[in-house]
Amino acid sequence: MTAQTRSEIAHLLERHGLAPIHRLGQHFLADANITRKIVALADVTSGSRVVEVGAGTGTLTRALAAAGASVVAYEIDRGLQPVLGEVTEGLDVELRFEDVSKVDFSKALPGDSWSLIANLPYNVGTPVVMDALRNAPAIDRFIVMMQREVAVRLAATVGSPDYGLPSVIAGIYSEASVAFTVPPQVFYPPPRVESAVAVLLRKPTPEHAERAVELARAGFGQRRKMLRRSLMSIVDDPVQLLEEAGFDPTKRAEDLSPDDYLRLAAL
């Protein structure tokens, strides 16, 4: 089943009286090679369960279902309902026209062993991944296309200028990496920035994970300050805590790894 080309997407939308909506971050994937690479990376087979966020015109939805996956596809734009109904007809696809930022995946996805595979709208990419990592243990793999700088941030480690709170959360809950970058011209319409496909493989949730996230959020919320200052809002004696954990109290948030934050949380 071939992926949609730019001209096919344009004609499909025109036939239904539609156009990409900028405020929804709609940049529809229009490249067969990138679609194949994502499906191959996802390694879906018959029986695989996939949740897709931002189904758009359905090119990735259709490719995943054609590879054997059972797909639950979310799309906020109800105007795309006739388009998606047309391109996924006869396939194992459940379309859900909802704002995914308000969806509780822990209740919306039955069972376990789900993969989140998506060309994520730029305006919701980070919050969707962060929330699902923390609150939806049924999703054990994430293969998501997003802004390149966001994907790099998720996979960044201590010492990288891209390292921040998303890096800590991704590192606590998963093994994160960037699989490949994607040029703007493979989308319709093309965005102004490069994209990348990030892969996050869930790890067993560590004890005190959420307390570690809370500590990291406080630290990065005032990242120019030393941790002995930035942690004062949530820790009675930050200096004692840091010294007990073996850290110099003058360190800043970006100096601690996800494991370091877990160590602090355990104390």
Side-chain angles (χ1 to χ4, degrees):
M1 190 172 288
T2 58
Q4 298 160 340
T5 64
R6 291 171 59 85
S7 60
E8 285 171 344
I9 291 173
H11 291 150
L12 187 62
L13 292 173
E14 185 179 2
R15 184 154 51 81
H16 289 278
L18 302 171
I21 300 174
H22 178 72
R23 66 178 173 80
L24 295 180
Q26 289 182 340
H27 300 281
F28 304 124
L29 181 58
D31 185 277
N33 183 50
I34 298 298
T35 303
R36 281 194 296 268
K37 286 179 74 172
I38 293 173
V39 173
L41 192 62
D43 193 27
V44 296
T45 57
S46 178
S48 296
R49 298 200 284 188
V50 170
V51 56
E52 182 187 13
V53 175
T57 57
T59 192
L60 183 57
T61 320
R62 190 168 62 173
L64 290 165
S70 175
V71 183
V72 172
Y74 283 89
E75 174 54 56
I76 193 173
D77 184 4
R78 287 188 173 274
L80 290 169
Q81 191 163 357
V83 172
L84 285 166
E86 177 183 322
V87 301
T88 63
E89 186 176 3
L91 297 173
D92 188 3
V93 176
E94 179 187 344
L95 300 172
R96 297 181 181 178
F97 292 91
E98 301 178 52
D99 180 352
V100 77
S101 67
K102 299 176 181 177
V103 172
D104 182 350
F105 282 132
S106 66
K107 297 177 181 177
L109 303 176
D112 53 15
S113 298
W114 287 83
S115 296
L116 194 158
I117 305 170
N119 169 26
L120 287 171
Y122 284 170
N123 54 345
V124 300
T126 303
V128 164
V129 172
M130 295 293 95
D131 181 68
L133 273 174
R134 295 169 65 192
N135 301 310
I139 302 174
D140 52 29
R141 290 193 311 158
F142 299 75
I143 297 157
V144 289
M145 186 148 57
M146 56 209 318
Q147 276 181 271
R148 186 187 65 80
E149 64 182 43
V150 175
V152 168
R153 201 174 297 140
L154 290 178
T157 54
V158 173
S160 164
D162 300 299
Y163 184 71
L165 180 60
S167 320
V168 174
I169 296 174
I172 287 172
Y173 288 94
S174 72
E175 296 288 345
S177 62
V178 176
F180 56 90
T181 57
V182 182
Q185 60 265 28
V186 305
F187 299 97
Y188 175 81
R192 296 180 180 178
V193 296
E194 270 194 332
S195 301
V197 173
V199 177
L200 297 90
L201 304 177
R202 184 180 293 280
K203 302 186 293 192
T205 300
E207 193 176 3
H208 310 298
E210 279 304 295
R211 180 58 169 165
V213 171
E214 189 180 357
L215 290 164
R217 179 177 285 112
F220 283 101
Q222 303 180 70
R223 65 183 301 159
R224 292 186 178 182
K225 291 187 177 182
M226 299 174 189
L227 283 169
R228 68 184 185 190
R229 298 287 185 191
S230 59
L231 296 183
M232 287 180 69
S233 61
I234 61 168
V235 175
D236 290 337
D237 190 340
V239 172
Q240 181 182 347
L241 173 67
L242 289 160
E243 288 179 343
E244 189 176 344
F247 300 127
D248 183 341
T250 64
K251 283 186 178 294
R252 290 177 168 80
E254 64 266 25
D255 296 323
L256 270 60
S257 70
D259 284 344
D260 291 336
Y261 280 106
L262 287 167
R263 233 164 88 206
L264 282 181
L267 292 172

